[in-house]
Amino acid sequence: MKLNINEKPFLPEGRHMVTITEVEEGKSERKEIPFINCRLENEDGFVNQRFYLSEPGQPILASFLKAVGIEGAEVDSKELKGKSLSVEVEERSYEDADGKEKTIKQATHFETVGSANTSDKY
């Protein structure tokens, strides 16, 4: 059997320099909370990061926007595509609304490219 793989692997845990290659808008399945989902990738792989446009999500989104060089009260999500930043990829487990444990990869600790204090290879 021939296998045809057209997708990169998920980025391993650790710090990575990434570029935003896709931005999708949507609403959460249960509570209809609007979000943007950004695909963050480099030559080694990718991670998807969802940013909820809710009051509790505001500080996280503000940190992300600052790392890509965007500051201001209003931003068009289309401006994000092509921007680069440094992120830490980690796994996080949580219980979903049905009581099932889920584990996801997420991007955290957003930094401007070149400002992250790390010895990891980019």
Side-chain angles (χ1 to χ4, degrees), residues 76-93:
D76 185 338
S77 62
K78 294 177 183 98
E79 292 179 47
L80 298 172
K81 193 171 179 180
K83 301 276 188 190
S84 295
L85 71 155
S86 174
V87 301
E88 233 175 86
V89 175
E90 60 188 32
E91 285 192 355
R92 177 176 73 88
S93 296

Side-chain angles (χ1 to χ4, degrees), residues 31-106:
K31 296 185 179 180
E32 297 288 310
I33 298 170
F35 67 81
I36 58 169
N37 185 70
C38 296
R39 180 179 168 114
L40 311 172
E41 71 177 280
N42 62 23
E43 62 278 351
D44 298 325
F46 77 99
V47 64
N48 285 311
Q49 182 61 46
R50 190 179 279 192
F51 297 95
Y52 288 97
L53 308 179
S54 62
E55 191 174 324
Q58 293 293 305
I60 299 164
L61 182 57
S63 174
F64 176 75
L65 293 174
K66 184 177 180 183
V68 297
I70 297 175
E71 293 190 46
E74 196 169 301
V75 176
D76 185 338
S77 62
K78 294 177 183 98
E79 292 179 47
L80 298 172
K81 193 171 179 180
K83 301 276 188 190
S84 295
L85 71 155
S86 174
V87 301
E88 233 175 86
V89 175
E90 60 188 32
E91 285 192 355
R92 177 176 73 88
S93 296
Y94 68 97
E95 193 173 289
D96 71 8
D98 297 324
K100 297 177 184 170
E101 186 170 321
K102 299 216 174 187
T103 301
I104 61 169
K105 285 209 177 210
Q106 66 179 15

